[in-house]
Amino acid sequence: MTDLLPSSTPRHDWTRDEVAALYAQPFADLLWQAQSVHRACHKPNTVQLSTLMNIKTGGCPEDCKYCSQSVRYDTGLERESLATVEEVRHAARVARDAGATRFCMGAAWRGPKPRDMAVVKEMIGAVRELGMESCVTLGLLDEAQARELAAAGLDYYNHNIDTSPEYYDKVITTRTFQSRLDTLEHVREAGIKVCCGGILGLGESREDRGEMLRTLANLPQHPESVPINQLVAVPGTPMGEQTGVDELEFVRTVAVARVLMPRAVVRLSAGRGAMSDSLQALCFVAGANSMFYGDKLLTTGNPAVAADHALLDALGMRAEAPKRQARNALEAVAGDALAG
Ligand code: SAM
Ligand code: DTB
Ligand code: SF4
């Protein structure tokens, strides 16, 4: 495998052994492959910036063992009601003016109720009016809900498989792995772009990490966006004492994701706050080309905006320019000034 450059044509038939062999290579060989695939499919030195907002905090009935927002664990988090459309509009404008091109809204639900859907659809409209791409993560969706969100103009739906099918039950028992694949299928069929990845550092093995990525790569169509989260160990959750994943193993996983899904945008997601600049730089070399940007993730911290600008400058990287134009003329002028 070491002297063979992987193809940048997407494949959907990766075997367990092929993925294991990718991981097992010398580090430099794997990074060379990932970087070669990356440069064949993406602009080098460009990173897409997404900002997160928690639109509904806490009180979630699910039992995801990593999550600060499950009602089952005492993490000291105050439950809040659904944010207003005005709060979303304001936060999205601030994010856009700081340079983010996508605004991602998360809700601590098993899935959205009809009355929630009406508000979320307005929020999607507000984000799009600002010329930003919209993304929501609301939990499980049925076919009709996916179609409703598509009709509201939603660009991306985030729903992670989190880990391998084999390790899944060690992490979540209140919803099945298959239910996640079903939601992804509804999203895909509705014509919404898919954002799906997972978490490293849950106590899983390398094989689990490979099987998580293989599950994504062997979907009928690769997710457009693949967030790779490093566990943020939250005190009070069952995963609160986890010690984290080896740094080079994290980089290898980003590189394997890049090789398996050449055209996907691979996002450095939760956990950057605990990463050195050098580790993040290695992740970019391994093919990461997106990150969460803004001082907060959902309930935990993220590097400060100024620190991220300093990192990108030091690496000679630039933020991706907005793809969509704001709807009215005034917004368009503001958008152009930002892009220029
Ligand atoms: N409730 C919805 C759901 O789970 O589908 C949406 C929000 S949920 C917080 C979205 C994703 O964030 C999870 O699937 C998981 O991959 C990630 N996540 C949540 N808590 C995390 C943590 N402490 N560390 C790393 N990733 C986390
Ligand atoms: C994703 O893959 N990571 C984001 C987003 N999708 C919704 C969430 C990260 C959450 C980190 C822990 C927290 O802040 O609560
Ligand atoms: Fe609820 Fe999502 Fe947290 Fe799971 S990850 S407990 S579904 S908010």
Side-chain angles (χ1 to χ4, degrees):
M1 182 75 81
T2 49
D3 54 352
L4 267 186
L5 194 57
S7 162
S8 48
T9 306
R11 279 178 53 191
H12 304 270
D13 58 354
W14 293 95
T15 66
R16 195 180 272 259
D17 288 350
E18 281 178 313
V19 175
L22 277 174
Y23 260 107
Q25 295 176 94
F27 187 76
D29 292 351
L30 174 58
L31 257 67
W32 173 71
Q33 291 182 347
Q35 180 65 196
S36 307
V37 169
H38 188 65
R39 282 175 184 255
C41 299
H42 301 270
K43 273 193 219 155
N45 308 312
T46 302
V47 62
Q48 185 275 330
L49 303 180
S50 290
T51 293
L52 273 169
M53 176 178 181
N54 208 6
I55 57 169
K56 165 68 185 76
T57 301
C60 183
E62 305 294 290
D63 73 347
C64 312
K65 291 189 174 47
Y66 50 77
C67 188
S68 60
Q69 305 198 76
S70 168
V71 77
R72 295 159 195 255
Y73 317 129
D74 184 7
T75 62
L77 193 73
E78 293 265 340
R79 180 182 183 147
E80 291 171 24
S81 51
L82 184 58
T84 65
V85 177
E86 272 322 301
E87 285 168 330
V88 165
R89 200 189 309 278
H90 175 73
R93 189 188 296 269
V94 169
R96 185 198 63 179
D97 292 351
T101 57
R102 190 174 310 156
F103 196 68
C104 308
M105 296 167 273
W109 293 325
R110 175 174 169 82
K113 305 233 160 44
R115 64 170 187 275
D116 305 322
M117 287 289 284
V119 183
V120 170
K121 286 192 288 184
E122 270 191 70
M123 291 171 171
I124 292 166
V127 169
R128 287 175 57 85
E129 271 171 21
L130 291 165
M132 299 181 88
E133 294 176 314
S134 56
C135 176
V136 295
T137 178
L138 314 173
L140 301 172
L141 290 187
D142 63 27
E143 285 158 295
Q145 289 171 319
R147 282 197 297 264
E148 256 190 85
L149 293 173
L154 181 66
D155 297 291
Y156 289 82
Y157 193 82
N158 168 245
H159 195 60
N160 292 340
I161 56 171
D162 282 349
T163 190
S164 68
E166 294 78 13
Y167 196 67
Y168 185 85
D169 293 351
K170 300 262 187 327
V171 184
I172 301 133
T173 68
T174 53
R175 62 171 61 164
T176 62
F177 195 81
Q178 184 58 45
S179 75
R180 296 193 181 245
L181 298 179
D182 293 344
T183 292
L184 294 174
E185 194 179 321
H186 301 327
V187 168
R188 182 58 85 200
E189 276 173 6
I192 300 167
K193 293 196 242 328
V194 170
C195 173
C196 183
I199 311 179
L200 308 192
L202 301 170
E204 77 286 344
S205 63
R206 171 180 284 184
E207 192 170 11
D208 291 313
R209 295 189 268 275
E211 287 302 288
M212 172 180 83
L213 294 179
R214 194 166 77 90
T215 303
L216 297 177
N218 288 349
L219 289 172
Q221 205 178 325
H222 293 168
E224 280 79 3
S225 166
V226 178
I228 308 288
N229 294 277
Q230 173 167 274
L231 175 73
V232 179
V234 178
T237 64
M239 298 278 178
E241 305 288 311
Q242 285 289 344
T243 48
V245 67
D246 175 77
E247 292 188 351
L248 296 182
E249 182 70 7
F250 190 92
V251 180
R252 278 183 187 272
T253 301
V254 171
V256 171
R258 168 51 66 228
V259 172
L260 295 185
M261 293 170 279
R263 294 182 190 162
V265 169
V266 175
R267 179 172 309 116
L268 275 188
S269 304
R272 282 199 310 115
M275 293 180 193
S276 66
D277 284 359
S278 326
L279 173 56
Q280 294 183 65
L282 268 180
C283 290
F284 292 131
V285 174
N289 56 348
S290 170
M291 63 187 192
F292 282 127
Y293 169 73
D295 301 354
K296 207 174 163 198
L297 294 165
L298 292 175
T299 65
T300 65
N302 197 42
V305 161
D308 278 342
H309 283 289
L311 173 62
L312 294 184
D313 283 350
L315 299 177
M317 295 181 73
R318 48 182 295 156
E320 183 190 83
K323 288 200 190 79
R324 299 184 57 245
Q325 285 300 310
R327 277 198 192 141
N328 67 46
L330 250 181
E331 299 289 4
V333 171
D336 288 345
L338 245 173

